Amino acid sequence: MVGAGIFAAFGPAAAAAGSWLLLALALAALLAYCNAISSARLAALYPVSGGTYVYGRERLGAFWGYIAGWGFVVGKTASCAAMALTVGAYAWPGHERLIAVAVVVAVTLVNYLGVEKSALASRVIVGIVLAVLLVVAVTGLTGDHANASTATSTGPYGVLQAAGLLFFAFAGYARIATLGEEVREPARTIPRAIMVALVIALGVYTLVAVAALLTLGAGGLANATDPLARVVEAAGFPGLTPVVRVGAALAATGSLLALVLGVSRTTLAMSRDGHLPKTLAAIHPRYRVPHHAELAVGVIVAIAAATVDLRGAIGFSSFAVLTYYLVANLSAATLTQAENRPPRWVPVVGAIGCVVVGFALPLTSVLAGLAVLGVGAVAYFVRQHRLGD
């Protein structure tokens, strides 16, 4: 969660919300909290690979699980491309796509060698990234604020749109739930990990957002493709810019590492059920990972990173993943008291929030998301018809 989202999402969110950026962050955090509670309760009950694909299938029916899984795989593939492009934007401006493809190849190789190595790499990366974000926060809070510029909001619609874009930076806890078969004591570990991650991420994001607004203002953030690097420059510490660029590149790499893990595990679960080619369910005899799924995801992400637009990828990913969490909240609403259901308001607010914020995203993102979900639904019913024959 504490990864590339914080380095990439503040720009388009500030363009939408203007000076109401912190309100949009609060709305994104509330939605993330509801989704996290629902996901955590379900993960404790179904500690297997697949996340909401499994929860929707078990609680609502096969179609809802399939739509959740389809939205996750397609949306998070777009996220993977966005993360890879963020690495390129910070690491070597002007050569983003070349760097993006190279980092996808490297991350796929690390994940192929087993989840233990991926977890170790993630711990190292997130430690460095937190240190860099602390540098950004301190310089932004204590530095020069004379160049901050304002930006106008489009009103409540702009705030909701910004919340949807900022949700992109919170959505990492879904990938925790997809790894149920690969962690110790998943019924206890996964819910705890989800909530701890959410609290830490919200604290870090709020601190950095305040520092960025004080230093650049909403107008400066809206016009920056590398906003946190601009924060240290505008604050009067240009010598720290390379440090922030390295931190951003590492953060995006860490996010990409976890994204490919989550997408490949949901692909594994869907291929086991026949919704995707059966060969993607193959488990490597030595490394114990779904190696065919890992390689397939890596190839598709590399192609996307070479062709898509960063901001478009963020919006499309947010819409698809909000659909995923809509199914998670609807699934959690069916839990009984004996199954440790969440407070009744949590899945209700979460589900309504997913719909409202999702349809407040840029129109192109909404239309693309609906089109992709429609293609997935048609494929599902065609397959069911053939099986019925």
Side-chain angles (χ1 to χ4, degrees):
M1 289 173 65
V2 182
I6 193 171
F7 291 92
F10 277 148
S19 57
W20 294 99
L21 181 64
L22 291 179
L23 176 59
L25 181 63
L27 289 176
L30 174 63
L31 183 56
Y33 172 80
C34 294
N35 295 345
I37 292 291
S38 294
S39 297
R41 300 296 172 88
L42 289 161
L45 194 61
Y46 302 102
V48 295
S49 291
T52 299
Y53 166 69
V54 174
Y55 314 150
R57 183 190 67 197
E58 297 297 321
R59 308 300 306 193
L60 303 174
F63 174 74
W64 293 102
Y66 168 83
I67 282 294
W70 177 261
F72 184 85
V73 169
V74 176
K76 286 303 184 181
T77 298
S79 290
C80 288
M83 295 304 95
L85 288 167
T86 301
V87 176
Y90 276 92
W92 196 4
H95 300 83
E96 291 88 350
R97 298 195 186 281
L98 176 63
I99 297 299
V101 172
V103 78
V104 169
V105 172
V107 163
T108 301
L109 177 61
V110 171
N111 281 340
Y112 191 95
L113 297 177
V115 72
E116 296 91 348
K117 294 177 179 61
S118 301
L120 174 61
S122 294
R123 285 197 293 271
V124 172
I125 289 169
V126 79
I128 297 171
V129 171
L130 285 172
V132 169
L133 291 175
L134 179 62
V135 168
V136 173
V138 170
T139 56
L141 291 171
T142 61
D144 184 4
H145 299 156
N147 296 318
S149 61
T150 59
T152 58
S153 168
T154 55
Y157 173 76
V159 172
L160 289 173
Q161 184 177 116
L165 294 168
L166 288 170
F167 181 75
F168 174 82
F170 280 102
Y173 50 79
R175 296 189 295 280
I176 300 172
T178 66
L179 297 169
E181 295 180 18
E182 299 172 76
V183 299
R184 290 187 293 270
E185 299 181 63
R188 181 180 66 89
T189 302
I190 290 177
R192 185 176 63 178
I194 287 173
M195 294 313 301
V196 169
L198 179 61
V199 170
I200 293 173
L202 177 57
V204 171
Y205 291 176
T206 302
L207 191 63
V208 172
V210 170
L213 284 172
L214 285 173
T215 306
L216 294 179
L221 276 175
N223 295 320
T225 57
D226 50 356
L228 300 194
R230 303 297 179 193
V231 167
V232 294
E233 289 177 5
F237 301 91
L240 292 174
T241 303
V243 175
V244 176
R245 291 191 179 279
V246 170
L250 280 173
T253 302
S255 293
L256 182 60
L257 192 71
L259 275 165
V260 173
L261 272 176
V263 173
S264 61
R265 271 53 179 186
T266 302
T267 300
L268 164 68
M270 294 182 72
S271 62
R272 282 174 172 171
D273 291 343
H275 295 302
L276 292 173
K278 286 287 189 181
T279 185
L280 298 178
I283 303 296
H284 195 283
R286 177 180 176 185
Y287 300 122
R288 308 305 304 163
V289 299
H291 57 302
H292 289 179
E294 290 273 11
L295 293 175
V297 170
V299 169
I300 294 170
V301 171
I303 293 171
T307 57
V308 302
D309 169 71
L310 175 60
R311 293 195 177 197
I314 290 175
F316 170 73
S317 172
S318 294
F319 185 87
V321 175
L322 284 164
T323 302
Y324 176 89
Y325 282 115
L326 171 63
V327 176
N329 282 296
L330 293 175
S331 301
T334 69
L335 294 174
T336 65
Q337 191 168 2
E339 294 171 319
N340 194 26
R341 71 185 182 205
R344 288 295 189 190
W345 67 269
V346 168
V348 173
V349 171
I352 294 173
C354 286
V355 173
V356 172
V357 170
F359 280 94
L361 286 165
L363 181 60
T364 53
S365 298
V366 174
L367 293 178
L370 289 173
V372 168
L373 291 174
V375 168
V378 169
Y380 175 86
F381 287 115
V382 167
R383 177 178 179 272
Q384 294 300 108
H385 178 71
R386 287 179 176 174
L387 289 176
D389 291 341

